Amino acid sequence: MTASTPGPASGAGSARNDPASRLVVTGGDVFDGTGAPPRRADVAVQEGRIVAVGSGLDGDVAVDATGMTVLPGLIDCHVHVMISGVELMAHLERPFSYAFYAAIGNLAATLDRGVTTVRDAGGADLGVKKAVEDGLVEGPRLRTAVSILGQTGGHTDGWHPSGIDVPLFVPHPGRPDPVVDGPDEMRRRVRQLIRAGADVIKICTSGGVVSPRDDPRHPQFGPDELAVCTAEAAAAGIFVMAHAQGAAGIKNAVRAGVRSVEHGMYLDDEAIEMMLEAGTFLVPTLVAPHWVIEAADAGAAISEVVVAKAREVAQIHQESVSRAVAAGVPIAMGTDSGVGPHGQNLRELELMRRAGMQPAAVLAAATSAAARLIGVADELGTVEPGNRADLVLVGGDPYDFAALEANIRAVYKGLL
């Protein structure tokens, strides 16, 4: 069990650590993750998994959740645990290994906010994932992309006008070089990522906001390169996620068969229809441009070009996501944490509500829908028998997203 905050499970005694014991979270309302309204129910847990949900359940140990709502552990489908802000000079002055130590705090801050699973969208390698799995550091369950693939001059190219190359993630034996050109290089690099332990392939089909030398509206990678990427991923049984901000890049990604479009800032009607037809998820990351603007306003040394792009896209982003929501595009929660401070993940929920999502749908996007997107719906994302006992206990109104962080009473990752 991991409890990130002192909560009602405190003092449950040694039985909670006995795998044979049965623990019951009792007296609370359960939001099961499907979008159905919360209902009064007990949740019985044994050996780290939910064994029953219903009324009048008994067990060896009781956790009193009276007056609280029990949520599934939240899932953030787009984080960067190895990034702690986008200020270039800070990035340059930190030793290579510093990011691994900073990730320890980033992981803990994320778990503390009720996010028990994340998809790291670039940066974290297999060692980071294994460190969490083996209990060396505390953090959410990790699905990892390892490296972010982009073309020369694209979103992952660290070249600057001075001629100096400053990659966001320095390649190392467990993190392949992110820049690829042509189908043959693409095939080799995807295979290298699979060998390195990637759970998902991350590709950039458009420019971006935080990359100063490209335009988020311009497409990147050709159809031949994208086809090779999705084919190699499919052969290994994994999905492809696409950083795609401009409409042309979004459409190219959907045509190639990606699982999710990340950001989607310049969605048009055709792109939305294509996503609906293909069942492609949108991971909005609405909070990300706000973080860039806030950091710049606070005095961070961020490129003027980057800040200007963030200011330009913030409102457009919200409007694009609103149209996608109205059309019924499947939505999964993601934040781009790392661009902004880790531990502020729940800010995204209120922005999703403002984009037109009903509150229950917002929570479903952060639980069951997110679990479906990343391929873990058979174990996570809902409060039901057989699933892992990742649970968040919150006081107050669970749909009051502005107050949700303050209302968290306990976070459990694999409650025993």
Side-chain angles (χ1 to χ4, degrees):
M1 184 202 79
T2 295
S4 69
T5 57
S10 299
S14 60
R16 196 193 320 135
N17 298 316
D18 177 1
S21 69
R22 176 177 162 114
L23 186 148
V24 177
V25 181
T26 183
D29 294 330
V30 175
F31 177 87
D32 65 8
T34 66
R39 62 183 179 90
R40 182 61 51 83
D42 302 331
V43 181
V45 175
Q46 196 163 9
E47 297 185 345
R49 290 190 181 268
I50 298 166
V51 295
V53 181
S55 301
L57 303 181
D58 59 4
D60 304 300
V61 179
V63 174
D64 185 4
T66 301
M68 302 179 199
T69 302
V70 182
L71 307 177
L74 304 179
I75 300 172
D76 190 332
C77 297
H78 195 124
V79 306
H80 298 281
V81 302
M82 299 291 288
I83 304 177
S84 301
V86 292
E87 189 171 359
L88 179 60
M89 286 309 298
H91 177 64
L92 284 171
E93 292 176 359
R94 290 174 184 144
F96 168 77
S97 59
Y98 185 95
F100 289 88
Y101 295 98
I104 297 171
N106 297 340
L107 288 161
T110 303
L111 182 61
D112 193 52
R113 297 307 184 268
V115 178
T116 59
T117 301
V118 298
R119 183 175 62 170
D120 187 273
D125 62 11
L126 184 59
V128 177
K129 180 180 176 180
K130 286 289 292 178
V132 174
E133 289 179 346
D134 295 347
L136 297 180
V137 299
E138 187 177 80
R141 305 176 193 279
L142 280 163
R143 306 285 287 179
T144 60
V146 183
S147 298
I148 310 170
L149 300 184
Q151 67 182 35
T152 296
H155 187 53
T156 64
D157 189 341
W159 184 90
H160 285 70
S162 63
I164 297 173
D165 193 352
V166 187
L168 185 60
F169 300 114
V170 177
H172 68 73
R175 192 164 64 200
D177 192 312
V179 178
V180 294
D181 293 292
D184 290 341
E185 279 192 15
M186 177 68 75
R187 181 176 292 107
R188 178 174 177 81
R189 198 58 43 79
V190 172
R191 291 176 178 177
Q192 288 175 335
L193 284 168
I194 293 164
R195 180 180 67 184
D199 301 300
V200 63
I201 302 300
K202 167 83 173 289
I203 192 164
C204 298
T205 64
S206 80
V209 170
V210 299
S211 44
R213 302 299 298 170
D214 61 14
D215 189 316
R217 294 165 295 188
H218 295 167
Q220 297 181 0
F221 284 130
D224 54 347
E225 295 164 308
L226 296 177
V228 166
C229 177
T230 54
E232 288 295 329
I238 63 177
F239 298 129
V240 177
M241 59 189 295
H243 162 103
Q245 298 184 357
I250 293 167
K251 294 170 194 176
N252 288 343
V254 176
R255 290 189 191 101
V258 303
R259 177 71 166 174
S260 64
V261 165
E262 312 293 307
H263 315 303
M265 291 171 175
Y266 291 95
L267 283 163
D268 62 18
D269 291 342
E270 183 184 15
I272 289 171
E273 286 300 318
M274 290 173 64
M275 292 179 71
L276 284 169
E277 183 176 347
T280 310
F281 280 81
L282 174 63
V283 180
T285 69
L286 287 161
V287 71
H290 295 281
W291 275 330
V292 174
I293 295 165
E294 290 165 8
D297 288 346
I302 300 173
S303 164
E304 292 181 3
V305 174
V306 170
V307 177
K309 286 195 285 185
R311 295 189 192 280
E312 178 183 339
V313 304
Q315 185 59 38
I316 294 169
H317 195 185
Q318 189 85 17
E319 293 168 357
S320 289
V321 174
S322 294
R323 292 201 309 276
V325 168
V329 171
I331 307 289
M333 194 270 275
T335 61
D336 222 354
S337 292
V339 171
H342 293 273
Q344 292 189 11
N345 311 66
L346 303 189
R347 287 184 60 181
E348 183 74 13
L349 303 181
E350 176 61 17
L351 293 173
M352 293 166 73
R353 186 194 65 76
R354 292 180 188 176
M357 296 184 72
Q358 294 299 310
V362 170
L363 284 184
T367 52
S368 59
R372 289 196 304 275
L373 167 59
I374 67 174
V376 296
D378 57 341
E379 290 204 323
L380 298 166
T382 53
V383 180
E384 62 179 307
N387 275 12
R388 293 183 180 274
D390 287 10
L391 304 172
V392 182
L393 275 57
V394 299
D397 181 357
Y399 297 152
D400 182 359
F401 300 130
L404 189 60
E405 178 182 324
N407 287 336
I408 293 175
R409 300 292 177 259
V411 178
Y412 301 106
K413 176 189 164 192
L415 177 62
L416 293 178

